[in-house]
Amino acid sequence: MKHWLTLGLIMSVAVLSDAGAQAYLPKTDDEIVEVLPARGESWLEIRYLRKQVAAQPNDLEPALALVRRYIELGRAESDPRYFGYAEAALAPWLTVAQPSAEVLTLRATLFQNRHEFPAALEYLHWALARQPRLAQAWLTRAAILEVQGQHADALNSCLPLLKLAEPLIGQVCLNSILSVSGQLDTAYRQLARAVSAAHSAAPADQQWALITLAEMAERMGNTDAADSYYRQALQVPRRNGYLLATYADYLLDRNRFQDVVELLANDTRADGLLLRLTFAEKALRLPTAAVHIDALTARFAASRMRGDTSHQGDEARFLLHVLNQPESALALAHTNWAVQREPRDARILLEAALASGKTQQQLQPLLMFLTESKLQDVRLQTLLAQIGGSGV
């Protein structure tokens, strides 16, 4: 899922096997199971914010600042522990008689990270009932509805941002949704103009806009522009796990496996990034591939045992492209499609269907969605041509 990067990822010191629920044990004393994040500037900032919360336990603002920072770090590092810390810090403020709209929105964001979209939308509904001009609530609502393929409702959630948020935020929100609902060319031009005019936009907003433009360019088949926008986004001095994943996918599609290894060699904690690194290592026949395949197998198994469904798209890719299990990949891709409907979700579903020898009659819900949404994506067009369908 985009932006909050559904690299929602799991790492664990003791992961469990699928069948026996047995603790994973390193094969040798030298095997590195986990690498903790560096304690740099972010750690000092977190320590300061925690002291502020401790010193002012009845003041909401320090708690909100701490929760927001945890969420930012969770997204940047693709580290689920930060989301857990955020939940713990927010919990006391959800038990008050009337939780504030900001508290409800942050709770919705945490639900969103776990792909619990109905709960997230319910909390956002409450938040907006209390504070209709809360831009973050509208933005989060738009993002969830876009992921679910509810494009008309998502657009309606973007419209208030044109007045309530910085200009670039509203433009990214609006054009991102237009680009997946039949107006890709127009949205691309509009967003490119908005980025050119946004000289004073915050780095995070600039990066978000550049990533969105890169993804649009990929769907249009303009690979040179996509590469340029991805590299501009990487130059923004702000780590972004979603960006690393999407750019790695771009490189994988072009068989630039060594570039993927260089991009992600130090990012093995996040499942989504490790998956993409493993794709590249397998293609290059590197010895590290086998170790990482074992690690991913255990991590996805542990995720299923927890009832965590936020990794189904990535796991379907793992089953299909690494373990060569097309039927299992197809079943999981179908389950994932019931939850989220982004272009990448359609792609793995089509790829698994093709590998399983399915016909277009067995993909009617997907084909109907593609036709009705008017989603444009050259990568999907190629797959649809192979399966005998149309619609993008």
Side-chain angles (χ1 to χ4, degrees), residues 33-67:
V33 179
E34 174 58 84
V35 179
L36 296 177
R39 289 190 168 191
E41 188 175 323
S42 296
W43 181 79
L44 294 174
E45 184 181 359
I46 287 294
R47 186 173 68 169
Y48 169 78
L49 290 171
R50 292 178 66 177
K51 286 184 176 179
Q52 293 296 304
V53 170
Q56 305 168 72
N58 297 318
D59 191 342
L60 175 59
E61 287 307 317
L64 292 179
L66 178 61
V67 172

mmCIF file of all heavy atoms in Angstrom, residues 33-67:
data_model
loop_
_atom_site.group_PDB
_atom_site.id
_atom_site.type_symbol
_atom_site.label_atom_id
_atom_site.label_comp_id
_atom_site.label_asym_id
_atom_site.label_seq_id
_atom_site.Cartn_x
_atom_site.Cartn_y
_atom_site.Cartn_z
ATOM 1 N N VAL A 33 20.420 -12.551 12.897
ATOM 2 C CA VAL A 33 18.968 -12.676 12.822
ATOM 3 C C VAL A 33 18.317 -11.306 12.779
ATOM 4 O O VAL A 33 17.315 -11.084 12.108
ATOM 5 C CB VAL A 33 18.437 -13.461 14.029
ATOM 6 C CG1 VAL A 33 16.922 -13.568 13.981
ATOM 7 C CG2 VAL A 33 19.057 -14.848 14.055
ATOM 8 N N GLU A 34 18.880 -10.357 13.465
ATOM 9 C CA GLU A 34 18.264 -9.049 13.550
ATOM 10 C C GLU A 34 19.355 -8.002 13.704
ATOM 11 O O GLU A 34 20.348 -8.226 14.395
ATOM 12 C CB GLU A 34 17.312 -8.984 14.760
ATOM 13 C CG GLU A 34 16.714 -7.630 15.046
ATOM 14 C CD GLU A 34 15.926 -7.091 13.866
ATOM 15 O OE1 GLU A 34 14.760 -7.434 13.723
ATOM 16 O OE2 GLU A 34 16.505 -6.340 13.067
ATOM 17 N N VAL A 35 19.159 -6.875 13.043
ATOM 18 C CA VAL A 35 20.061 -5.746 13.191
ATOM 19 C C VAL A 35 19.236 -4.564 13.683
ATOM 20 O O VAL A 35 18.311 -4.114 12.994
ATOM 21 C CB VAL A 35 20.746 -5.381 11.852
ATOM 22 C CG1 VAL A 35 21.657 -4.173 12.047
ATOM 23 C CG2 VAL A 35 21.523 -6.565 11.328
ATOM 24 N N LEU A 36 19.503 -4.114 14.869
ATOM 25 C CA LEU A 36 18.712 -3.033 15.425
ATOM 26 C C LEU A 36 19.053 -1.720 14.745
ATOM 27 O O LEU A 36 20.181 -1.516 14.296
ATOM 28 C CB LEU A 36 18.983 -2.924 16.926
ATOM 29 C CG LEU A 36 18.546 -4.146 17.743
ATOM 30 C CD1 LEU A 36 18.932 -3.946 19.203
ATOM 31 C CD2 LEU A 36 17.050 -4.362 17.629
ATOM 32 N N PRO A 37 18.076 -0.808 14.655
ATOM 33 C CA PRO A 37 18.336 0.483 14.027
ATOM 34 C C PRO A 37 19.418 1.244 14.778
ATOM 35 O O PRO A 37 19.578 1.098 15.983
ATOM 36 C CB PRO A 37 16.983 1.205 14.141
ATOM 37 C CG PRO A 37 15.990 0.139 14.395
ATOM 38 C CD PRO A 37 16.707 -0.936 15.124
ATOM 39 N N ALA A 38 20.137 2.041 14.017
ATOM 40 C CA ALA A 38 21.174 2.859 14.636
ATOM 41 C C ALA A 38 20.554 3.873 15.586
ATOM 42 O O ALA A 38 19.479 4.382 15.347
ATOM 43 C CB ALA A 38 21.962 3.586 13.560
ATOM 44 N N ARG A 39 21.214 4.139 16.674
ATOM 45 C CA ARG A 39 20.708 5.117 17.626
ATOM 46 C C ARG A 39 21.281 6.486 17.284
ATOM 47 O O ARG A 39 22.211 6.968 17.894
ATOM 48 C CB ARG A 39 21.101 4.712 19.040
ATOM 49 C CG ARG A 39 20.356 3.495 19.536
ATOM 50 C CD ARG A 39 20.591 3.273 20.997
ATOM 51 N NE ARG A 39 19.678 2.296 21.553
ATOM 52 C CZ ARG A 39 19.538 2.090 22.850
ATOM 53 N NH1 ARG A 39 20.248 2.774 23.716
ATOM 54 N NH2 ARG A 39 18.673 1.197 23.298
ATOM 55 N N GLY A 40 20.746 7.099 16.325
ATOM 56 C CA GLY A 40 21.260 8.382 15.892
ATOM 57 C C GLY A 40 20.380 9.519 16.373
ATOM 58 O O GLY A 40 19.838 9.511 17.469
ATOM 59 N N GLU A 41 20.218 10.488 15.495
ATOM 60 C CA GLU A 41 19.454 11.690 15.817
ATOM 61 C C GLU A 41 18.007 11.354 16.166
ATOM 62 O O GLU A 41 17.415 11.967 17.051
ATOM 63 C CB GLU A 41 19.511 12.628 14.614
ATOM 64 C CG GLU A 41 18.931 13.996 14.856
ATOM 65 C CD GLU A 41 19.144 14.890 13.661
ATOM 66 O OE1 GLU A 41 20.217 14.793 13.035
ATOM 67 O OE2 GLU A 41 18.241 15.670 13.341
ATOM 68 N N SER A 42 17.438 10.362 15.460
ATOM 69 C CA SER A 42 16.046 9.993 15.725
ATOM 70 C C SER A 42 15.872 9.473 17.140
ATOM 71 O O SER A 42 14.880 9.758 17.811
ATOM 72 C CB SER A 42 15.589 8.935 14.719
ATOM 73 O OG SER A 42 15.605 9.453 13.419
ATOM 74 N N TRP A 43 16.838 8.680 17.594
ATOM 75 C CA TRP A 43 16.745 8.150 18.941
ATOM 76 C C TRP A 43 16.798 9.273 19.963
ATOM 77 O O TRP A 43 16.054 9.266 20.948
ATOM 78 C CB TRP A 43 17.894 7.168 19.183
ATOM 79 C CG TRP A 43 17.859 6.563 20.550
ATOM 80 C CD1 TRP A 43 17.075 5.542 20.974
ATOM 81 C CD2 TRP A 43 18.636 6.963 21.677
ATOM 82 N NE1 TRP A 43 17.300 5.267 22.294
ATOM 83 C CE2 TRP A 43 18.261 6.117 22.753
ATOM 84 C CE3 TRP A 43 19.614 7.932 21.887
ATOM 85 C CZ2 TRP A 43 18.839 6.227 24.016
ATOM 86 C CZ3 TRP A 43 20.191 8.043 23.147
ATOM 87 C CH2 TRP A 43 19.796 7.193 24.190
ATOM 88 N N LEU A 44 17.643 10.271 19.739
ATOM 89 C CA LEU A 44 17.712 11.412 20.659
ATOM 90 C C LEU A 44 16.391 12.178 20.663
ATOM 91 O O LEU A 44 15.918 12.627 21.705
ATOM 92 C CB LEU A 44 18.867 12.338 20.255
ATOM 93 C CG LEU A 44 20.276 11.747 20.398
ATOM 94 C CD1 LEU A 44 21.315 12.706 19.832
ATOM 95 C CD2 LEU A 44 20.570 11.457 21.871
ATOM 96 N N GLU A 45 15.794 12.306 19.486
ATOM 97 C CA GLU A 45 14.514 13.014 19.395
ATOM 98 C C GLU A 45 13.424 12.247 20.135
ATOM 99 O O GLU A 45 12.623 12.849 20.860
ATOM 100 C CB GLU A 45 14.137 13.193 17.925
ATOM 101 C CG GLU A 45 12.873 14.010 17.735
ATOM 102 C CD GLU A 45 12.518 14.150 16.265
ATOM 103 O OE1 GLU A 45 13.265 13.633 15.418
ATOM 104 O OE2 GLU A 45 11.479 14.783 15.980
ATOM 105 N N ILE A 46 13.399 10.935 19.943
ATOM 106 C CA ILE A 46 12.405 10.124 20.641
ATOM 107 C C ILE A 46 12.603 10.222 22.146
ATOM 108 O O ILE A 46 11.634 10.343 22.913
ATOM 109 C CB ILE A 46 12.504 8.653 20.180
ATOM 110 C CG1 ILE A 46 11.941 8.508 18.764
ATOM 111 C CG2 ILE A 46 11.756 7.726 21.138
ATOM 112 C CD1 ILE A 46 10.454 8.771 18.646
ATOM 113 N N ARG A 47 13.841 10.174 22.582
ATOM 114 C CA ARG A 47 14.107 10.266 24.022
ATOM 115 C C ARG A 47 13.611 11.598 24.576
ATOM 116 O O ARG A 47 13.003 11.641 25.660
ATOM 117 C CB ARG A 47 15.606 10.110 24.292
ATOM 118 C CG ARG A 47 15.934 10.043 25.780
ATOM 119 C CD ARG A 47 17.381 9.717 26.015
ATOM 120 N NE ARG A 47 18.261 10.817 25.593
ATOM 121 C CZ ARG A 47 19.555 10.885 25.880
ATOM 122 N NH1 ARG A 47 20.135 9.894 26.548
ATOM 123 N NH2 ARG A 47 20.287 11.888 25.465
ATOM 124 N N TYR A 48 13.827 12.668 23.825
ATOM 125 C CA TYR A 48 13.341 13.990 24.256
ATOM 126 C C TYR A 48 11.821 14.003 24.339
ATOM 127 O O TYR A 48 11.239 14.479 25.336
ATOM 128 C CB TYR A 48 13.832 15.060 23.276
ATOM 129 C CG TYR A 48 13.175 16.406 23.483
ATOM 130 C CD1 TYR A 48 13.585 17.252 24.514
ATOM 131 C CD2 TYR A 48 12.127 16.823 22.654
ATOM 132 C CE1 TYR A 48 12.979 18.473 24.718
ATOM 133 C CE2 TYR A 48 11.506 18.046 22.847
ATOM 134 C CZ TYR A 48 11.937 18.864 23.882
ATOM 135 O OH TYR A 48 11.316 20.082 24.086
ATOM 136 N N LEU A 49 11.153 13.468 23.315
ATOM 137 C CA LEU A 49 9.687 13.479 23.297
ATOM 138 C C LEU A 49 9.126 12.629 24.443
ATOM 139 O O LEU A 49 8.122 12.996 25.065
ATOM 140 C CB LEU A 49 9.172 12.965 21.951
ATOM 141 C CG LEU A 49 9.417 13.886 20.749
ATOM 142 C CD1 LEU A 49 9.065 13.176 19.442
ATOM 143 C CD2 LEU A 49 8.606 15.177 20.890
ATOM 144 N N ARG A 50 9.758 11.505 24.723
ATOM 145 C CA ARG A 50 9.289 10.667 25.831
ATOM 146 C C ARG A 50 9.441 11.379 27.168
ATOM 147 O O ARG A 50 8.589 11.259 28.051
ATOM 148 C CB ARG A 50 10.052 9.346 25.829
ATOM 149 C CG ARG A 50 9.719 8.473 24.631
ATOM 150 C CD ARG A 50 10.514 7.187 24.624
ATOM 151 N NE ARG A 50 10.150 6.333 25.753
ATOM 152 C CZ ARG A 50 10.654 5.131 25.955
ATOM 153 N NH1 ARG A 50 11.568 4.663 25.110
ATOM 154 N NH2 ARG A 50 10.274 4.412 26.972
ATOM 155 N N LYS A 51 10.494 12.139 27.307
ATOM 156 C CA LYS A 51 10.660 12.919 28.547
ATOM 157 C C LYS A 51 9.577 13.977 28.668
ATOM 158 O O LYS A 51 9.065 14.250 29.762
ATOM 159 C CB LYS A 51 12.050 13.578 28.567
ATOM 160 C CG LYS A 51 13.187 12.603 28.857
ATOM 161 C CD LYS A 51 14.518 13.344 28.951
ATOM 162 C CE LYS A 51 15.647 12.388 29.338
ATOM 163 N NZ LYS A 51 16.957 13.096 29.413
ATOM 164 N N GLN A 52 9.214 14.577 27.528
ATOM 165 C CA GLN A 52 8.143 15.578 27.547
ATOM 166 C C GLN A 52 6.819 14.951 27.974
ATOM 167 O O GLN A 52 6.051 15.543 28.736
ATOM 168 C CB GLN A 52 7.993 16.207 26.153
ATOM 169 C CG GLN A 52 9.175 17.042 25.707
ATOM 170 C CD GLN A 52 9.379 18.259 26.595
ATOM 171 O OE1 GLN A 52 8.465 19.065 26.774
ATOM 172 N NE2 GLN A 52 10.552 18.391 27.184
ATOM 173 N N VAL A 53 6.557 13.758 27.477
ATOM 174 C CA VAL A 53 5.318 13.066 27.853
ATOM 175 C C VAL A 53 5.333 12.736 29.345
ATOM 176 O O VAL A 53 4.325 12.911 30.048
ATOM 177 C CB VAL A 53 5.149 11.781 27.016
ATOM 178 C CG1 VAL A 53 4.000 10.931 27.550
ATOM 179 C CG2 VAL A 53 4.906 12.142 25.555
ATOM 180 N N ALA A 54 6.466 12.273 29.833
ATOM 181 C CA ALA A 54 6.566 11.913 31.248
ATOM 182 C C ALA A 54 6.409 13.137 32.143
ATOM 183 O O ALA A 54 5.814 13.053 33.230
ATOM 184 C CB ALA A 54 7.904 11.237 31.512
ATOM 185 N N ALA A 55 6.929 14.268 31.689
ATOM 186 C CA ALA A 55 6.869 15.491 32.499
ATOM 187 C C ALA A 55 5.482 16.120 32.472
ATOM 188 O O ALA A 55 5.124 16.865 33.384
ATOM 189 C CB ALA A 55 7.912 16.488 31.998
ATOM 190 N N GLN A 56 4.710 15.854 31.415
ATOM 191 C CA GLN A 56 3.380 16.460 31.267
ATOM 192 C C GLN A 56 2.358 15.358 30.964
ATOM 193 O O GLN A 56 1.779 15.326 29.874
ATOM 194 C CB GLN A 56 3.403 17.481 30.129
ATOM 195 C CG GLN A 56 4.479 18.555 30.274
ATOM 196 C CD GLN A 56 4.656 19.362 29.001
ATOM 197 O OE1 GLN A 56 3.792 20.181 28.648
ATOM 198 N NE2 GLN A 56 5.757 19.126 28.293
ATOM 199 N N PRO A 57 2.117 14.454 31.893
ATOM 200 C CA PRO A 57 1.269 13.284 31.612
ATOM 201 C C PRO A 57 -0.188 13.638 31.291
ATOM 202 O O PRO A 57 -0.887 12.811 30.694
ATOM 203 C CB PRO A 57 1.367 12.469 32.902
ATOM 204 C CG PRO A 57 1.740 13.455 33.962
ATOM 205 C CD PRO A 57 2.614 14.465 33.294
ATOM 206 N N ASN A 58 -0.627 14.821 31.687
ATOM 207 C CA ASN A 58 -2.017 15.201 31.421
ATOM 208 C C ASN A 58 -2.147 16.134 30.216
ATOM 209 O O ASN A 58 -3.235 16.667 29.966
ATOM 210 C CB ASN A 58 -2.618 15.875 32.660
ATOM 211 C CG ASN A 58 -2.661 14.924 33.845
ATOM 212 O OD1 ASN A 58 -3.010 13.743 33.700
ATOM 213 N ND2 ASN A 58 -2.284 15.420 35.016
ATOM 214 N N ASP A 59 -1.044 16.340 29.520
ATOM 215 C CA ASP A 59 -1.049 17.245 28.362
ATOM 216 C C ASP A 59 -1.058 16.406 27.078
ATOM 217 O O ASP A 59 -0.159 15.587 26.849
ATOM 218 C CB ASP A 59 0.192 18.153 28.410
ATOM 219 C CG ASP A 59 0.101 19.281 27.392
ATOM 220 O OD1 ASP A 59 -0.716 19.158 26.450
ATOM 221 O OD2 ASP A 59 0.852 20.261 27.533
ATOM 222 N N LEU A 60 -2.048 16.624 26.235
ATOM 223 C CA LEU A 60 -2.194 15.808 25.029
ATOM 224 C C LEU A 60 -1.109 16.086 23.993
ATOM 225 O O LEU A 60 -0.650 15.169 23.309
ATOM 226 C CB LEU A 60 -3.575 16.069 24.409
ATOM 227 C CG LEU A 60 -3.868 15.393 23.058
ATOM 228 C CD1 LEU A 60 -3.759 13.877 23.174
ATOM 229 C CD2 LEU A 60 -5.250 15.798 22.549
ATOM 230 N N GLU A 61 -0.687 17.331 23.848
ATOM 231 C CA GLU A 61 0.198 17.691 22.744
ATOM 232 C C GLU A 61 1.520 16.922 22.740
ATOM 233 O O GLU A 61 1.953 16.437 21.684
ATOM 234 C CB GLU A 61 0.451 19.201 22.739
ATOM 235 C CG GLU A 61 -0.746 20.004 22.267
ATOM 236 C CD GLU A 61 -1.266 19.533 20.904
ATOM 237 O OE1 GLU A 61 -0.429 19.266 20.017
ATOM 238 O OE2 GLU A 61 -2.489 19.419 20.734
ATOM 239 N N PRO A 62 2.207 16.787 23.876
ATOM 240 C CA PRO A 62 3.444 15.980 23.834
ATOM 241 C C PRO A 62 3.186 14.533 23.412
ATOM 242 O O PRO A 62 3.996 13.948 22.685
ATOM 243 C CB PRO A 62 3.955 16.061 25.281
ATOM 244 C CG PRO A 62 3.367 17.310 25.827
ATOM 245 C CD PRO A 62 2.009 17.415 25.198
ATOM 246 N N ALA A 63 2.075 13.988 23.845
ATOM 247 C CA ALA A 63 1.752 12.603 23.461
ATOM 248 C C ALA A 63 1.508 12.503 21.959
ATOM 249 O O ALA A 63 1.976 11.564 21.304
ATOM 250 C CB ALA A 63 0.524 12.124 24.235
ATOM 251 N N LEU A 64 0.791 13.481 21.411
ATOM 252 C CA LEU A 64 0.547 13.460 19.966
ATOM 253 C C LEU A 64 1.853 13.579 19.186
ATOM 254 O O LEU A 64 2.051 12.904 18.172
ATOM 255 C CB LEU A 64 -0.401 14.605 19.577
ATOM 256 C CG LEU A 64 -1.841 14.493 20.064
ATOM 257 C CD1 LEU A 64 -2.648 15.718 19.617
ATOM 258 C CD2 LEU A 64 -2.502 13.222 19.537
ATOM 259 N N ALA A 65 2.745 14.436 19.668
ATOM 260 C CA ALA A 65 4.036 14.602 18.979
ATOM 261 C C ALA A 65 4.824 13.297 18.994
ATOM 262 O O ALA A 65 5.453 12.915 17.984
ATOM 263 C CB ALA A 65 4.834 15.720 19.646
ATOM 264 N N LEU A 66 4.792 12.608 20.118
ATOM 265 C CA LEU A 66 5.517 11.330 20.220
ATOM 266 C C LEU A 66 4.904 10.279 19.295
ATOM 267 O O LEU A 66 5.626 9.562 18.591
ATOM 268 C CB LEU A 66 5.492 10.836 21.667
ATOM 269 C CG LEU A 66 6.173 9.491 21.935
ATOM 270 C CD1 LEU A 66 7.663 9.560 21.585
ATOM 271 C CD2 LEU A 66 5.981 9.083 23.403
ATOM 272 N N VAL A 67 3.577 10.192 19.276
ATOM 273 C CA VAL A 67 2.904 9.205 18.420
ATOM 274 C C VAL A 67 3.202 9.488 16.945
ATOM 275 O O VAL A 67 3.512 8.571 16.172
ATOM 276 C CB VAL A 67 1.382 9.219 18.676
ATOM 277 C CG1 VAL A 67 0.660 8.340 17.651
ATOM 278 C CG2 VAL A 67 1.073 8.741 20.085
#
